[in-house]
Every structure is written in C-alpha cells, then in structure tokens.
Amino acid sequence: MKRVIHWFRRDLRLHDNTALRAALAAAPEVIPIYILSGWQRYHHWTGSPRQQFLCGSLAVLAANLEKRGGRLIVRQGAADEELGRLAADTGAEAIFFNRDPDPFGRAMEEKLEKLGIPLRPFKDVAIHERDEVLTAQGSPYRVFTPYSKAWRTLPKPEVHAAPRKISTPGNLKSLPLPDLGVWGLKLDAEIIEPGEDAARRRLEAFVRGPVHKYAELRDFPAAAGASRLSQDLRYGLLSPREVFTRAGASHAYVNELIWREFYMQVLWHWPRVLDAAFDPNYDGVKWFEPGRDFDAWRNGETGFPIVDAAMRQLSATGFMHNRLRMIAAMFLTKDLHIHWREGESWFMRRLVDGEIASNNGGWQWSAGTGADAAPYFRIQNPWTQSARYDPKAEFIKQWVPELRDIHPAQLCNAPKPGMRICAHYPRPMVDHAKEREAALMMFRAKH
C-alpha cells in the first residue's frame, strides 16, 4: 500500500499508538484524521469541560504531528461519511483505527464495513478487552475480584516509542482546529492541562512519588495521592500499557486500571446497563422524581459538607476524587432516592474524564444495582465518611468557604434535627438514618 488513513478517536497521542504504528508500517503516506461530532449546545453524555479538554488535546496532537512532518486533518459529521469521502478523494487504500469499547463506537465501526474499503481495527483502549478475560467456563465475569485475579495472570503487551517521522500528502482540505464554539458551548470550568505532553508529565510525576503511597493516600481527597491520569486514559493521551508498565504490576494503582477494564467488559457483554440495572431484579425500584432535591445535590447545597464540597469541585474543575464520587453518588441514590441515571448523566456532562463504562459501573455500584458482590445494602454515611477521609476538613473548607471557620468535628457529625452547622449554610436536607432505612425498604421490595 502507498497511502492509508489513520482515524484518531480515543487515542490522541503518538507514543505507543497501536493503529498508528501499524499504519506507518503499512504505507509510506499516512493521513491522520479526527472527525468532530455535529451535535449542538446539549448532549446527554458530554459537556463543555470535556470538549474543552478535547480541543486542547487536538491542538497538541496537531503540533506533534507537524514536528514529524505530518498534518492532522479535521472534519465534522458522520464518521463513516467523512472517512468515505476522504478515502475517495485521496485514493487511500485502507482505514486504520483503534477499536472503541462502547456501543456507540461499535455501531459506527459496523457502518464503516459498508464503505467497501479495507478496515484495519486494533486493540488499544484496553490492555485486555472483550473476550480476553473469561471464567473457566468461558463466560464473562460478573464480579470484580475474580476478574482482577484472572486479568493479572495474562501476559501484557510491550510498549512502543512514538514515531520519528510521519508523511502526510499535501493539499488536503481540513477544518481549523476546534474550539468550544463548534458545539455552541462556553468555558465554565478551570480544567486540567490537556494534551499528550501534559499527560506524559503527569505520568512522570506520579511514578516518581505518589504511586508508592497510593494504597495509603488514595482515599483522602485533601492528600496528593490521586494519579490524575483518568482523563489521559479516557482520551488516549497515554496508553494503558505504558501506564501499567510505569506504575509497576505490584502497586495498588494497577487495580484502578483493572477496574477500568472490568467495567469496559461489563458494557461489552451487557450493553443494556446503559438503560437498565445490571441486575434485572432492580429494574422496578421506585425512584423519586429529581426536582429540587436533584438541583440541591447538583449545586452543592445539600447541607452535607462532604457532598457539597465534592459537587462544587466538580462544577469548578470538571474533576472529582474517586472516593467522593462514591459518596456523592450514594447520597443521591440512597439518601435522596433519585435514579442513578440522573446522576450518571450529570457526571458525564461535567467530568473531564467522563468514561461511559466506568461512569455507568461506578453509579450502578453506588446505587446497588450493579456488578457487585454486596449490592443494595451497602450504604455509606456521609458524616462518618467525612470523619474517616477528611478528618481535618481540609477538603471541605477548600470548596465550601461558608464553613472555613467551623471546627472540623462539627463537619463530621450531623447537627441536631432542624439545626444548621452555621447561619450561612443550609440545613441537612434529609436525616441520613431515616433515609437509609427507606432505601433498604425500596430495594427489599424488589429483591
């Protein structure tokens, strides 16, 4: 072959990019393309924080391609139509791409088959995907722990360097690099620095220090224990193979990579989870209508300091610590009894690292409807979670300024019924103990 297309999707990097490496080995000329989605102003699964991160990452990708002699082509529309046009205009002999694990990406890959152009799909988003991690009976795992043990026994692929040279034919039409205006959005969060170069710096900083204390510090939002690599894995600014290799197989952090792939295989084998409970026994749970309670949760005005701090951090930065995601999700579903799908959608619209499989898996786990050995009766108490993971209220006081002068002990215990923690902060909107019992009754009715 003389000329091929590489379709960038969730792999916005040059280092250890499986399909790109194969394309460069197959032909002397490679046409790198990214195809922008065409929706406007509102999307159920994304919002301005993630689109801003995408824009910045595409700009870095384009610059890195140019340094190597290549050029990123940008188009907008249906991917199958745009790829078909590009192949016809350039005489490209094949389309190389890395497979997408979610149902929407899979549907588009099926449409590409109708183009009549040779397709070269590759595994890249996960270290082990689809049917690679199965039980002895050949069925997919429904619970994480046995899955993780099986995952760890499998051989891991090697990591490859970035290409030194990429040759892209000239005179190809391209849209300019996008900004938020493409989708009719405005910047409304101060997000982490986008792009492959920044991601590689984050990885280097993590493996130099925090990874060694990950097990000790990972659950404390005020500590510098988080990797902050989740958005980099989501957009493929780092390959999971390189992160696994650099982190070291024995470190606790690797479990996070395994959780990520566990939820991907759950979504692969049970795509119904996007619309229904993983455990069908709970499809009929009678959830409350969202209304004002949902607005209070979304705005960080519940009267529960740890929940409000988490939600305000999410609104301001497009990020939420993993422990806080569990606390916030369990509060919405178990204290306010609002359907996990409402929270799932809100997180996807606000999180820079919004990953469909992991977000859905985390929300169903928290709601008690998901792939979990201990389902609905796991109900976290926001007050004891505060005492355990933010005992000095450092995180709370950072994000809820009304509480900065309050003694930490007061932020770890519920005030007396009807009372406020302070004059300028709302009363707790519910009594956790009562709502816990109500949640148990909701689920027992369907068990």
Side-chain angles (χ1 to χ4, degrees):
M1 290 188 286
K2 295 182 180 180
R3 180 179 294 175
V4 299
I5 293 169
H6 172 72
W7 176 27
F8 278 106
R9 307 173 78 194
R10 296 178 40 151
D11 57 334
L12 306 183
R13 68 181 186 279
L14 302 186
H15 288 80
D16 196 38
N17 186 320
T18 310
L20 178 61
R21 182 169 173 267
L24 291 168
E29 288 189 339
V30 173
I31 305 169
I33 183 172
Y34 187 86
I35 302 170
L36 303 170
S37 52
W39 57 271
Q40 287 287 307
R41 294 182 178 82
Y42 174 83
H43 195 288
H44 186 67
W45 290 110
T46 191
S48 60
R50 208 155 84 242
Q51 296 308 98
Q52 179 69 18
F53 191 82
L54 168 64
C55 292
S57 296
L58 288 173
V60 173
L61 176 63
N64 287 340
L65 284 167
E66 289 181 6
K67 291 175 184 176
R68 291 163 172 82
R71 180 181 173 223
L72 180 64
I73 304 302
V74 179
R75 301 282 175 88
Q76 185 174 29
D80 54 335
E81 296 175 5
E82 294 302 325
L83 288 168
R85 291 192 191 98
L86 183 63
D89 292 344
T90 62
E93 298 169 75
I95 300 172
F96 287 69
F97 59 90
N98 290 311
R99 289 191 290 260
D100 195 315
D102 69 49
F104 309 108
R106 288 164 57 185
M108 180 52 69
E109 290 164 19
E110 292 175 2
K111 288 184 178 181
L112 293 185
E113 296 175 1
K114 300 177 183 178
L115 294 178
I117 304 167
L119 305 178
R120 299 291 186 268
F122 292 86
K123 178 181 73 171
D124 184 80
V125 173
I127 296 174
H128 301 300
E129 65 170 9
R130 302 187 176 185
D131 295 318
E132 292 185 39
V133 188
L134 299 173
T135 67
Q137 293 73 38
S139 59
Y141 286 95
R142 300 176 66 92
V143 178
F144 174 75
T145 299
Y147 172 89
S148 68
K149 291 178 179 177
W151 189 98
R152 286 180 179 273
T153 65
L154 298 177
K156 302 297 182 280
E158 61 181 314
V159 178
H160 298 279
R164 295 182 177 179
K165 183 175 176 57
I166 299 172
S167 179
T168 301
N171 301 320
L172 297 179
K173 293 181 180 178
S174 174
L175 296 174
L177 288 168
D179 58 24
L180 286 178
V182 167
W183 300 279
L185 301 174
K186 295 180 180 179
L187 182 62
D188 60 4
E190 189 174 341
I191 65 170
I192 198 167
E193 183 181 359
E196 181 181 9
D197 300 346
R200 298 193 66 77
R201 291 193 296 271
R202 284 190 284 270
L203 176 61
E204 190 63 34
F206 181 58
V207 300
R208 279 203 311 265
V211 72
H212 304 293
K213 294 184 177 181
Y214 189 76
E216 176 186 349
L217 299 177
R218 63 182 296 272
D219 280 317
F220 296 86
S227 73
R228 293 307 311 267
L229 302 179
S230 54
Q231 68 286 324
D232 304 327
L233 288 164
R234 163 62 183 85
Y235 277 100
L237 306 179
L238 298 170
S239 84
R241 299 170 296 280
E242 183 173 12
V243 174
F244 171 83
T245 301
R246 296 293 308 280
S250 63
H251 282 298
Y253 176 73
V254 171
N255 248 19
E256 304 305 320
L257 299 178
I258 304 175
W259 271 109
R260 176 178 179 267
E261 300 196 0
F262 172 65
Y263 283 138
M264 284 182 178
Q265 70 90 29
V266 167
L267 182 57
W268 172 262
H269 291 285
W270 294 281
R272 72 183 296 275
V273 297
L274 292 184
D275 299 306
F278 175 80
D279 186 338
N281 287 319
Y282 303 122
D283 278 341
V285 171
K286 301 299 183 183
W287 301 99
F288 291 9
E289 290 297 319
R292 293 181 180 178
D293 284 356
F294 183 76
D295 291 340
W297 173 83
R298 184 176 60 184
N299 296 330
E301 297 173 348
T302 67
F304 286 73
I306 194 71
V307 175
D308 293 343
M311 297 306 296
R312 295 184 194 189
Q313 180 192 37
L314 175 63
S315 292
T317 69
F319 172 76
M320 188 188 291
H321 186 280
N322 186 59
R323 168 58 57 177
L324 300 177
R325 297 186 197 201
M326 290 187 280
I327 295 171
M330 207 165 287
F331 182 82
L332 184 73
T333 55
K334 301 295 180 60
D335 286 74
L336 302 184
H337 317 303
I338 293 174
H339 203 303
W340 54 265
R341 289 182 64 188
E342 299 288 344
E344 177 195 29
S345 174
W346 180 249
F347 269 29
M348 285 297 292
R349 282 179 276 160
R350 295 307 307 169
L351 285 168
V352 171
D353 66 6
E355 160 66 66
I356 289 176
S358 295
N359 190 55
N360 177 271
W363 270 94
Q364 293 226 38
W365 185 94
S366 297
T369 62
D372 187 8
Y376 71 89
F377 42 80
R378 179 193 281 113
I379 301 178
Q380 294 172 341
N381 183 324
W383 303 107
T384 57
Q385 291 285 305
S386 299
R388 185 176 301 168
Y389 299 115
D390 193 27
K392 297 181 180 179
E394 296 171 274
F395 179 80
I396 289 172
K397 292 186 178 188
Q398 178 184 357
W399 292 103
V400 187
E402 307 97 294
L403 303 177
R404 285 177 183 168
D405 295 329
I406 306 300
H407 192 281
Q410 289 183 252
L411 306 180
C412 298
N413 294 282
K416 293 180 180 180
M419 300 294 289
R420 299 172 181 263
I421 294 175
C422 69
H424 303 294
Y425 184 66
R427 295 180 181 88
M429 60 191 299
V430 295
D431 180 321
H432 171 73
K434 291 181 179 178
E435 301 309 329
R436 179 183 185 279
E437 292 306 313
L440 290 174
M441 290 179 63
M442 282 173 56
F443 277 85
R444 284 170 184 153
K446 299 304 300 179
H447 192 256

